[in-house]
Amino acid sequence: DARVTQTPRHKVTEMGQEVTMRCQPILGHNTVFWYRQTMMQGLELLAYFRNRAPLDDSGMPKDRFSAEMPDATLATLKIQPSEPRDSAVYFCASGLAGIYNEQFFGPGTRLTVL
Amino acid sequence: AQSVSQHNHHVILSEAASLELGCNYSYGGTVNLFWYVQYPGQHLQLLLKYFSGDPLVKGIKGFEAEFIKSKFSFNLRKPSVQWSDTAEYFCAVKGDNDMRFGAGTRLTVKP
């Protein structure tokens, strides 16, 4: 049963600290998406990758957020320095490139910045 | 770029009531349409999807959605809701590039 995995599931940190969230896409999937979900803004697309190359990160605050794919089995989202307004659930999703394909979501990382 | 509108932010129904959640999108090209469900404390899961063919799509758990191209709509329906359908429902549209999600509709079903 292939699934997207995310670690950590929960993270509580203090303002100013670096936060790294990890995602393991489903094996064979070549697109990876990072979303942020908050009560106020709903589900926002932060960045997405195809074949490990970033295609769109316009939804991401550039000064503090960075997203990378060091290899095909790992995607990372970093926040440095973190701020209380970054508190949210961060979802990773993976899929196959092409118009017909759905995205499979991971369980999310619930981030709380104090 | 495509955008998605979900008209209802919060819907409250009693069990056995019928459900219809609205979804409209703006995009002139060919689209694929999805409904995702997020149960409390869980991640998003696919409920149903439309790619082509019959505009009435059947999904899991008795849900269905109808694609009306002329209205740019893809409304979700269920004839009789259950308490276990309490969740947040997201409509999503995929055009040429990435997938865009609506703001979501929170459904509360009273037992």
Side-chain angles (χ1 to χ4, degrees), chain A residues 9 33 35 37 39 42-43 45 48 50 56 58 91 98-108 110, chain B residues 30 32 34 36 38 41-44 46 49 51 88 90 94-103 106:
Chain A
R9 294 293 309 278
F33 303 79
Y35 293 91
Q37 186 178 39
M39 289 291 291
L43 200 61
L45 177 67
Y48 81 98
R50 182 182 296 175
D56 185 359
S58 59
F91 287 103
I99 196 168
Y100 298 109
N101 293 295
E102 68 195 75
Q103 295 177 20
F104 295 81
F105 282 78
R110 182 174 294 277
Chain B
T30 301
N32 297 130
F34 305 81
Y36 282 83
Q38 186 179 27
Q42 297 188 26
H43 60 286
L44 277 76
L46 185 69
K49 57 190 175 184
F51 292 153
E88 189 148 14
F90 294 89
K94 191 175 190 305
D96 291 335
N97 295 308
D98 58 301
M99 186 124 76
R100 294 290 171 178
F101 285 81
R106 184 175 298 278

Side-chain angles (χ1 to χ4, degrees), chain B residues 6-108:
Chain B
Q6 290 184 242
H7 317 299
N8 312 102
H9 294 292
H10 191 187
V11 173
I12 303 173
L13 295 173
S14 298
E15 274 194 314
S18 64
L19 169 73
E20 180 159 3
L21 301 182
C23 173
N24 284 90
Y25 66 93
S26 63
Y27 184 69
T30 301
V31 293
N32 297 130
L33 302 159
F34 305 81
W35 274 98
Y36 282 83
V37 60
Q38 186 179 27
Y39 296 105
Q42 297 188 26
H43 60 286
L44 277 76
Q45 304 168 47
L46 185 69
L47 204 53
L48 50 78
K49 57 190 175 184
Y50 170 80
F51 292 153
S52 63
D54 189 345
L56 185 61
V57 180
K58 304 280 187 188
I60 60 171
K61 303 184 181 184
F63 286 90
E64 64 179 31
E66 184 175 12
F67 170 50
I68 303 180
K69 189 174 181 179
S70 61
K71 295 184 178 179
F72 298 89
S73 70
F74 190 56
N75 292 355
L76 180 71
R77 299 195 293 249
K78 185 171 183 178
S80 175
V81 294
Q82 301 172 311
W83 175 79
S84 58
D85 293 325
T86 294
E88 189 148 14
Y89 294 80
F90 294 89
C91 179
V93 176
K94 191 175 190 305
D96 291 335
N97 295 308
D98 58 301
M99 186 124 76
R100 294 290 171 178
F101 285 81
T105 297
R106 184 175 298 278
L107 172 65
T108 301

